[in-house]
């Protein structure tokens, strides 16, 4: 159900680089990978706007790792139910997929919309968007 081959933004890359990658890949979130090629977090387009631009920070000087959040992920061999449970529990809309300690893909709302039956999708949306 995931998008295979997720591309990472480097932890030392600027937020401008992250935003350009998002534009070029037509995505709203990117995993952040360290020099060791391991997942360090995830950054969204909203993070860039709210936590950088709106705060008056320099998009060329602020690095992806400074806004990194969420080390929530799922193993590639996990079931769809496990992925949904993690996404619901943490109220997240994108979930990195890890295999052999490396990111191999991402599960997004769009993936779920294509694959889940309507009733299951409605339940997921209700739980993720419900107030914490």
């Amino acid at each position: 159900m995931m998008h295979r081959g997720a591309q990472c933004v480097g932890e030392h890359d600027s937020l401008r680089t992250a935003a350009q990658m998002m534009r070029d890949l037509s995505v709203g979130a990117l995993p952040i990978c360290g020099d060791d090629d391991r997942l360090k977090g995830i950054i969204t387009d909203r993070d860039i706007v709210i936590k950088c631009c709106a705060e008056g920070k320099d998009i060329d000087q602020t690095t992806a790792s400074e806004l990194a959040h969420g080390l929530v992920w799922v193993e590639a061999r996990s079931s769809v139910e496990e992925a949904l449970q993690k996404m619901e529990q943490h109220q997240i809309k994108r979930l990195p997929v890890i295999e052999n300690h490396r990111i191999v893909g991402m599960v997004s709302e769009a993936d779920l919309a294509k694959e889940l039956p309507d009733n299951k999708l409605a339940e997921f949306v209700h739980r993720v968007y419900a107030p914490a």
Side-chain angles (χ1 to χ4, degrees):
M1 164 179 320
M2 71 175 171
H3 275 85
R4 285 208 161 269
Q7 291 189 30
C8 291
V9 63
E11 66 182 329
H12 305 294
D13 287 339
S14 72
L15 294 184
R16 181 176 305 280
T17 299
Q20 290 168 338
M21 286 180 70
M22 288 179 192
R23 176 200 62 207
D24 295 345
L25 297 168
S26 296
V27 297
L30 287 170
I32 301 168
C33 293
D35 296 333
D36 58 0
D37 201 32
R38 304 276 173 115
L39 182 67
K40 302 297 181 190
I42 192 167
I43 188 169
T44 67
D45 48 5
R46 187 174 193 278
D47 293 333
I48 294 171
V49 171
I50 301 296
K51 297 177 183 174
C52 181
C53 298
E55 295 294 323
K57 294 180 181 176
D58 186 337
I59 195 167
D60 292 307
Q61 297 300 314
T62 307
T63 64
S65 66
E66 291 177 58
L67 299 189
H69 64 76
L71 275 175
V72 179
W73 48 271
V74 67
E75 287 281 344
R77 67 179 179 272
S78 298
S79 69
V80 172
E81 291 300 322
E82 289 175 82
L84 286 172
Q85 182 182 16
K86 281 196 175 192
M87 293 172 85
E88 291 171 0
Q89 176 185 0
H90 297 279
Q91 291 191 307
I92 56 177
K93 299 162 191 115
R94 299 163 184 105
L95 183 66
V97 180
I98 304 292
E99 185 174 60
N100 296 323
H101 306 288
R102 301 283 189 263
I103 188 160
V104 294
M106 294 275 284
V107 175
S108 70
E109 287 176 297
D111 299 321
L112 298 176
K114 289 182 213 170
E115 299 294 327
L116 292 178
D118 289 346
N119 63 329
K120 194 76 159 172
L121 181 61
E123 184 179 319
F124 168 79
V125 168
H126 174 73
R127 288 187 180 163
V128 168
Y129 286 94

